[in-house]
Amino acid sequence: MHKTVTIRKLEWLSDFFGLNCGEVISPSRTMVIDEKDLHYYHFLQGKCLDRDKISKCWFEKNSFFFEDSRLTFEKKIESVPDTTSENIRIAVASEAESPTIEAIAKNVMAEHSRFINLVGEKKTQEFYATWIKNAIVSDFDHICFYASTGSQVSGFITLRFVENRKAIIGLLGVERAFWGKGVAKSLLDYAENFLAQKGFDTLEVATEGKNSRAIRFYNNYGFHLKDTEYWYYKILKEHSS
């Protein structure tokens, strides 16, 4: 008898999307999906390193499809010169700024999201708006900074603090009208100086492989590629967006 693969329910995603979402954990060649899991879940996801041939083979054998790659970048935190334009101001976001920042997140984050083909554009936009709302009150991510260019909110960055003096960028986004005007770099400079003052050593960020603009930005900023992983999906039940 084949051993069944472990599937962990993704509680937050399940509640948010209104679907039973699960994640396959460490499959091996001979493992199978339990019949009751096939009936319970709407959607299964799995992730493996690009060099993990066993997991990739398992996902393909069990009719998962490749959704996207996930690139994790890392850099050593350093104090950096303040080159922020006089026209750009950075501050900690409060609930007063939340609706404006949520609107920017809806506008710029959904396009490259791995969820958009699963639940549609509207629900994906709501997902990122909720992420911002939570980050501002230190739920999941711990802090959110926002940039103002003149009198307009032009971008944001959220940070999560983890063990071993590491911080992770949750979201970094800039309103399209301000692309190419130094807003993203100003936000990242500010965040890195903030983290350096707090004694953090390492800054990490992950982005989807299809987001070539973000990949180019992080490479140019001095991040190095730490890992490449592959996302695999299996849709078990149809849903309505």
Side-chain angles (χ1 to χ4, degrees), residues 37-55:
D37 288 328
L38 289 173
H39 290 288
Y40 177 74
Y41 286 103
H42 292 84
F43 156 75
L44 295 176
Q45 70 177 28
K47 182 177 64 179
C48 65
L49 290 168
D50 59 344
R51 56 186 176 272
D52 183 355
K53 294 181 180 180
I54 291 175
S55 292

Side-chain angles (χ1 to χ4, degrees), residues 77-157:
I77 290 173
E78 304 169 304
S79 294
V80 296
D82 183 5
T83 58
T84 302
S85 162
E86 291 182 4
N87 199 36
I88 299 175
R89 183 179 67 88
I90 314 290
V92 177
S94 70
E95 292 183 67
E97 293 82 33
S98 189
T100 305
I101 301 172
E102 289 171 43
I104 296 174
K106 284 183 176 183
N107 186 34
V108 301
M109 300 305 301
E111 178 183 358
H112 298 292
S113 174
R114 63 188 180 88
F115 295 122
I116 197 164
N117 293 326
L118 175 68
V119 296
E121 182 179 33
K122 183 178 179 181
K123 199 66 177 175
T124 303
Q125 289 177 331
E126 291 173 2
F127 172 81
Y128 289 105
T130 301
W131 190 329
I132 289 294
K133 187 181 297 184
N134 289 346
I136 286 174
V137 296
S138 302
D139 184 1
F140 188 59
D141 285 350
H142 292 102
I143 196 166
C144 177
F145 296 109
Y146 74 101
S148 294
T149 303
S151 60
Q152 290 183 265
V153 176
S154 51
F156 60 85
I157 186 171

Side-chain angles (χ1 to χ4, degrees), residues 64-87:
F64 283 68
F65 62 89
F66 172 77
E67 170 61 26
D68 199 359
S69 55
R70 179 180 190 266
L71 280 63
T72 301
F73 293 91
E74 190 175 74
K75 81 179 297 291
K76 180 177 173 57
I77 290 173
E78 304 169 304
S79 294
V80 296
D82 183 5
T83 58
T84 302
S85 162
E86 291 182 4
N87 199 36

Side-chain angles (χ1 to χ4, degrees), residues 110-232:
E111 178 183 358
H112 298 292
S113 174
R114 63 188 180 88
F115 295 122
I116 197 164
N117 293 326
L118 175 68
V119 296
E121 182 179 33
K122 183 178 179 181
K123 199 66 177 175
T124 303
Q125 289 177 331
E126 291 173 2
F127 172 81
Y128 289 105
T130 301
W131 190 329
I132 289 294
K133 187 181 297 184
N134 289 346
I136 286 174
V137 296
S138 302
D139 184 1
F140 188 59
D141 285 350
H142 292 102
I143 196 166
C144 177
F145 296 109
Y146 74 101
S148 294
T149 303
S151 60
Q152 290 183 265
V153 176
S154 51
F156 60 85
I157 186 171
T158 71
L159 300 172
R160 184 164 73 258
F161 312 137
V162 295
E163 59 187 10
N164 299 322
R165 294 192 290 182
K166 177 187 285 189
I168 297 173
I169 296 172
L171 299 176
L172 171 59
V174 175
E175 181 65 273
R176 293 176 192 276
F178 296 97
W179 282 9
K181 300 182 186 301
V183 176
K185 184 178 185 302
S186 296
L187 282 161
L188 197 43
D189 284 350
Y190 190 94
E192 189 166 7
N193 283 328
F194 169 84
L195 293 167
Q197 291 169 11
K198 298 292 184 181
F200 287 86
D201 286 338
T202 307
L203 182 58
E204 184 177 287
V205 63
T207 189
E208 309 299 341
K210 67 181 76 169
N211 193 346
S212 57
R213 185 182 182 90
I215 292 168
R216 187 165 58 250
F217 172 74
Y218 290 123
N219 277 324
N220 290 341
Y221 193 86
F223 284 81
H224 67 269
L225 183 62
K226 179 184 176 185
D227 283 316
T228 299
E229 297 166 296
Y230 294 155
W231 283 112
Y232 287 91

